[in-house]
Amino acid sequence: MLWPLGATAGLLALGWLPRVQQSPQVAWAVWGAAVGLLAWQVLLALRFRSGGMPGLTFTTPRAQHYIQACCQLSIYAYWGQFWPPVYQYFPLLLAQMLFAYAFGMLLSWTRKQPYQMGLGPVPIILSTNLFMWFKDEYYPLQFVLIAVGVLGKVFVQWERDGRRVHIFNPSAFTLALFSLILITTGQTSMTWAQEIAPTIGLGPHTYKVMFAVGLVAMYNFSTTPVSATAAATLFIGSGLVMAIAGVPYFVDSDIPAAVFLGLHLLVTDPSTSPRTTVGRVIFGMGYGVSVFALYAILGALGAPTFYDKLLCVPILNLLVPTIDRLVTRLGDRPLFDRLGFSGPLGRANLPHMAVWVLFFGAMTMRGVTDGMHPGDALPFWQQACEAGKPKACDRMLNIEANYCRDNAGWACNELGRHFTEGRLVSADAERAFGYFSRACEARYQPGCLNMISEPTDAVVATAPRPFDLRLLLREGGPNLLEMNEPDLYARACRHGWTEACPKAAAAR
Amino acid sequence: MDRGLPESRGGTMNGSPTTPQPPRAGRRRLPAAALTLALAVMGTMRAPMAQGGLPPMPEWIDVAGATLAMGAGTDPEAYDNERWPSATGTGPVPVAGFLLARTETTVAQFGAFAVATGWRSEPRALAEAPDLPVTFVSWTDAVAYTRWLERALRSTPSAPAVVRDRLAAGWHVRLPTEAQWELAARATDGRRYPWGNEARPDRATYNTTGPTPVGQHPCPECVLPLADMSGNVWEWTSSPYQPYPFTAADDRTGLEADALWVMRGGHFGDPPRLLRATARGAAEPGARRAFIGFRVALVPPAR
């Protein structure tokens, strides 16, 4: 009983840390979780007061737990370098881990089974929190999320290879379940999921870091067929859409950074993946195709597209026996053998990794990983919109809206212009006035003038100011407040802001 | 990149109470019921504000058109930005006649606008006594108020005839330009303050720690019966800050520079030098400060 008591005490103590105290709701969530665990311990103590309490057995740390945890921590470390809230969030990660351990122990003992103490909960917590944080005011739900993950792992099991194993990847199961609930109830704003996803890409080498971390998992767990095939499916799909439609499928990337993270660290749980290389290739392709399809479906339904990467994993987990049966039916084929897909899992892992390294290198050379993506440039979307390319105008409006939110007065003024002119959106003088007001407060003088102009006057606009460019040119990374003006204009010229090209040339 | 369009800056401008915008994050709105109650109480205090069930409306003063010798000329107390680049330090600016609110816009008047539109103003703007000049209002808040006031006046049959007629003739409620403001403050006789050439504590609120209710200082020496043109709070104008000479069309130049808008009149904490009718202040349009307010004008169409 000392272990859960210790975890509970730790949880209580964490409630006094500054990050937790920063929000009363978080503090009460942490203390509430601790009190709940304490009450459960009291009940168990009463139940087993005459003895017979199942104990603990310590298991040898498993590589798939500690290596995966190290990979995940590497991502957190890099992410936090460029987005400090990640580091500030660490006490809350610790609180969730203490909760998960205590919850797992008490659940086992309630079921009269000894608890196997290992590192299992660590990667589950880390993986879950790479994708979803409940906002402070709803923080109790973060503990519910963890509890559901533990319950899912324990209770949702099936027979596989003669062993009872969990059906679903524990973190992906809870993420998908909660995503579905949040979307169907229209409560996606309760979490920071949608907001934190772009912050993963703030680092200048995010894709390369994820790629490198992914190689560790690939080397140790032969996950190359899953991750590489999923990535290749998405890269190829995006490339095809760009070639056919002339606009990027995922707006400003060929694979959004959070999806790239997911295909390395979310869908690669060996316990819930097919057992053959061919099966894993199918599984990876399935993930890529599912993300592709869900992005379009969620967008069409007006739901946040962020959830594309989370919703499909449990379905793929459920399909694993079907995939295994299909592979058995396919049997050994010469092509599989030539591709290194036959034989025991991992037989050709290193050659497969080499192919993946070459493929990723080619994609990086093409400029569709880190660095500037064609969809990063607003002039690209303006031209695509003018040319009537599919969805280009909607995306241009969304991009302008994001920059307006970031306080780029130029972007707010453009939105005001659209609502005044009524060409891309229905004319709405009130919304136009509101956007002009935001532009003006961002010290963009044309916005102020548009606020006081006569309805018959033409909308006043200029090229983006240097301040606006520092936001508009950030390419998904941090703003460019420190960049000198010659570099800024050169970058603007590369983005297609033609007015900036003479300034860039003059500055040289 | 697809988080949807952000809400625009304010609430609705048509006064519909059914379509309020959510409050800005981290800011508190005065409950509408509390404010309505405050306005009702205040309506019994200040007769001009409750004519015919109207929201508290400004009292208008007619400012006759004239050619203003704008600028501080040779006034030794003047700052450089008040002098025209001419031998006299002034320049002729023709100003058409217009109406100007007798007082600075009050908390009550601005509160009526905030309640009617849901415009998300700074909570401190509505936290003071109803007859104080409204402060903590940005230039954008002031412009939004003028827009609403014009609609309210147009849709109110009981608005004064002089106002109705001029609105019908195409006039608009605006912030005054700085030329209009200066003409109203000192007329055409070149006086330093609205009442004369010497600072007088009984004529204006200055060198103190806070504003006073509007219209507290009688001014028999003033050319026009306008209150608090000097002191109390700085007043936003509809002129972007540009070096002199002033022209009515100078707002289309220098658009790439960060916006700054002219304020006139000085505030309660200023020394007399800043209360002079030619003194020019400027602030960024989003500035909400304890010493900045505004008054409104009813002006003829620009062309």
Side-chain angles (χ1 to χ4, degrees):
Chain A
M1 214 56 171
L2 281 178
W3 283 95
L5 201 59
T8 307
L11 201 54
L12 274 171
L14 283 175
W16 275 278
L17 287 182
R19 170 62 185 89
V20 180
Q21 285 288 313
Q22 195 178 311
S23 157
Q25 292 97 329
V26 175
W28 284 112
V30 170
W31 288 330
V35 169
L37 291 170
L38 204 59
W40 196 352
Q41 287 163 64
V42 170
L43 289 174
L44 279 179
L46 289 173
R47 182 177 168 187
F48 293 107
R49 63 180 176 275
S50 52
M53 168 89 85
L56 282 173
T57 57
F58 286 89
T59 58
T60 315
R62 294 168 65 183
Q64 69 191 67
H65 293 153
Y66 64 79
I67 291 181
Q68 204 169 346
C70 289
C71 291
Q72 290 158 337
L73 284 170
S74 306
I75 299 291
Y76 278 105
Y78 186 74
W79 184 13
Q81 282 282 312
F82 299 93
W83 198 54
V86 172
Y87 290 163
Q88 294 154 14
Y89 190 69
F90 272 12
L92 297 178
L93 277 179
L94 190 57
Q96 290 174 58
M97 283 181 199
L98 290 172
F99 176 79
Y101 272 107
F103 189 90
M105 287 178 220
L106 297 174
L107 184 65
S108 287
W109 295 343
T110 303
R111 300 175 71 216
K112 299 185 178 171
Q113 291 175 357
Y115 180 74
Q116 297 200 329
M117 177 70 99
L119 291 172
V122 177
I124 295 175
I125 304 294
L126 293 176
S127 174
T128 305
N129 284 272
L130 280 173
F131 297 94
M132 192 178 283
W133 303 356
F134 274 93
K135 290 180 180 172
D136 283 3
E137 54 267 43
Y138 304 110
Y139 209 75
L141 290 172
Q142 194 79 26
F143 290 106
V144 178
L145 184 81
I146 301 306
V148 170
V150 175
L151 290 168
K153 188 177 177 188
V154 171
F155 289 108
V156 188
Q157 295 190 336
W158 58 15
E159 198 85 25
R160 197 170 165 218
D161 300 334
R163 284 195 311 135
R164 296 276 319 158
V165 291
H166 51 278
I167 300 173
F168 298 114
N169 173 328
S171 52
F173 169 67
T174 44
L175 286 169
L177 184 66
F178 275 71
S179 299
L180 195 62
I181 294 169
L182 292 170
I183 290 170
T184 50
T185 56
Q187 299 296 328
T188 51
S189 60
M190 289 169 78
T191 77
W192 290 120
Q194 181 91 345
E195 285 79 8
I196 61 173
T199 67
I200 292 174
L202 284 176
H205 304 292
T206 298
Y207 284 87
K208 292 185 202 81
V209 169
M210 288 193 277
F211 166 75
V213 167
L215 287 179
V216 176
M218 287 176 178
Y219 179 77
N220 284 284
F221 311 118
S222 303
T223 54
T224 319
V226 176
S227 301
T229 316
T233 304
L234 287 159
F235 274 128
I236 292 167
S238 290
L240 282 174
V241 170
M242 182 71 179
I244 295 165
V247 287
Y249 187 73
F250 291 112
V251 185
D252 58 358
S253 60
D254 273 26
I255 300 183
V259 175
F260 199 63
L261 181 65
L263 62 86
H264 279 111
L265 295 180
L266 187 64
V267 290
T268 49
D269 173 21
S271 316
T272 55
S273 301
R275 60 185 171 218
T276 62
T277 306
V278 176
R280 289 189 175 191
V281 167
I282 295 170
F283 190 81
M285 280 173 65
Y287 184 69
V289 170
S290 305
V291 169
F292 221 74
L294 279 168
Y295 182 81
I297 292 167
L298 291 170
L301 294 174
T305 52
F306 162 81
Y307 295 94
D308 55 2
K309 65 196 73 58
L310 305 180
L311 287 171
C312 55
V313 185
I315 298 167
L316 287 167
N317 291 149
L318 282 174
L319 288 174
V320 164
T322 310
I323 294 170
D324 282 340
R325 276 197 299 277
L326 177 71
V327 173
T328 309
R329 207 170 302 147
L330 286 172
D332 286 335
R333 308 232 165 179
L335 177 67
F336 292 169
D337 198 41
R338 274 202 293 279
L339 293 172
F341 289 173
S342 56
L345 195 64
R347 181 176 70 90
N349 192 39
L350 283 176
H352 289 159
M353 285 177 66
V355 172
W356 165 237
V357 170
L358 288 174
F359 185 78
F360 180 80
M363 292 298 109
T364 301
M365 302 275 279
R366 260 193 67 213
V368 294
T369 58
D370 292 310
M372 185 190 163
H373 186 275
D376 282 325
L378 196 44
F380 169 87
W381 290 106
Q382 289 174 325
Q383 287 159 19
C385 176
E386 286 297 321
K389 300 272 173 67
K391 294 187 178 175
C393 295
D394 287 347
R395 286 174 172 187
M396 182 191 77
L397 289 169
N398 273 323
I399 292 168
E400 286 176 355
N402 285 338
Y403 288 129
C404 174
R405 221 181 260 118
D406 289 348
N407 247 358
W410 176 88
C412 300
N413 194 61
E414 284 298 292
L415 288 170
R417 186 163 68 83
H418 300 316
F419 279 104
T420 302
E421 294 173 349
R423 203 162 54 84
L424 303 179
V425 289
S426 303
D428 184 335
E430 304 312 320
R431 289 191 80 175
F433 184 80
Y435 284 120
F436 290 140
S437 170
R438 283 180 75 148
C440 179
E441 292 210 5
R443 302 192 69 184
Y444 182 70
Q445 182 73 325
C448 306
L449 296 177
N450 290 324
M451 285 184 78
I452 56 175
S453 64
E454 302 287 336
T456 50
D457 290 343
V459 172
V460 185
T462 63
R465 302 163 298 172
F467 176 79
D468 298 313
L469 290 175
R470 293 177 194 284
L471 300 167
L472 299 174
L473 305 177
R474 62 188 181 85
E475 297 172 0
N479 62 49
L480 309 170
L481 293 180
E482 306 296 322
M483 184 176 269
N484 63 51
E485 289 209 354
D487 288 348
L488 190 70
Y489 287 128
R491 189 166 167 131
C493 184
R494 279 202 304 281
H495 273 237
W497 297 102
T498 49
E499 310 87 347
C501 299
K503 292 177 183 168
R508 286 220 174 78
Chain B
M1 293 295 281
D2 52 357
R3 287 180 279 163
L5 295 182
E7 63 198 66
S8 55
R9 164 65 179 76
T12 59
M13 291 299 300
N14 57 12
S16 162
T18 57
T19 52
Q21 297 282 327
R24 188 163 36 196
R27 291 197 170 159
R28 189 172 49 84
R29 270 173 63 189
L30 195 67
L35 190 55
T36 307
L37 180 65
L39 294 175
V41 171
M42 201 261 331
T44 63
M45 291 161 48
R46 297 186 63 80
M49 295 178 182
Q51 296 155 350
L54 285 173
M57 290 290 175
E59 187 182 334
W60 300 100
I61 304 299
D62 204 343
V63 183
T67 295
L68 169 72
M70 193 170 180
T74 55
D75 185 345
E77 289 199 9
Y79 295 94
D80 286 346
N81 72 347
E82 301 169 40
R83 298 185 212 281
W84 280 50
S86 68
T88 59
T90 63
V93 177
V95 179
F98 64 101
L99 303 182
L100 188 63
R102 190 179 70 81
T103 66
E104 291 155 340
T105 302
T106 62
V107 171
Q109 289 168 335
F110 192 80
F113 151 73
V115 168
T117 62
W119 183 261
R120 286 158 304 145
S121 47
E122 160 73 48
R124 285 176 292 179
L126 302 175
E128 297 297 333
D131 53 357
L132 282 173
V134 68
T135 53
F136 293 106
V137 281
S138 65
W139 186 86
T140 55
D141 295 335
V143 170
Y145 174 82
T146 62
R147 188 175 153 99
W148 168 79
L149 180 60
E150 181 175 325
R151 289 185 185 185
L153 288 169
R154 284 186 190 280
S155 63
T156 307
S158 54
V162 63
V163 172
R164 277 204 321 272
D165 293 348
R166 298 199 185 187
L167 287 172
W171 288 39
H172 293 291
V173 179
R174 293 278 188 270
L175 296 174
T177 66
E178 61 170 328
Q180 288 167 336
W181 192 97
E182 190 172 318
L183 175 65
R186 67 193 304 223
T188 53
D189 59 7
R191 60 182 66 192
R192 184 181 274 166
Y193 300 99
W195 54 85
N197 287 326
E198 300 303 323
R200 287 182 58 175
D202 59 337
R203 291 285 175 263
T205 303
Y206 64 96
N207 271 345
T208 184
T209 54
T212 51
V214 299
Q216 292 279 294
H217 300 287
C219 185
E221 305 87 352
C222 293
V223 174
L224 294 168
L226 296 163
D228 305 309
M229 288 297 281
S230 283
N232 223 14
V233 292
W234 282 102
E235 297 177 16
W236 287 113
T237 71
S238 64
S239 296
Y241 184 76
Q242 306 270 15
Y244 279 155
F246 173 91
T247 66
D250 68 355
D251 59 358
R252 303 290 148 141
T253 59
L255 292 183
E256 296 203 344
D258 284 346
L260 275 180
W261 290 81
V262 172
M263 311 176 298
R264 290 298 199 105
H267 77 87
F268 55 82
D270 282 335
R273 190 180 178 195
L274 285 169
L275 268 61
R276 290 171 305 102
T278 56
R280 307 172 78 203
E284 58 188 80
R288 293 179 174 84
R289 302 283 184 272
F291 47 82
I292 304 178
F294 68 97
R295 83 173 66 212
V296 295
L298 187 59
V299 301
R303 50 186 176 274

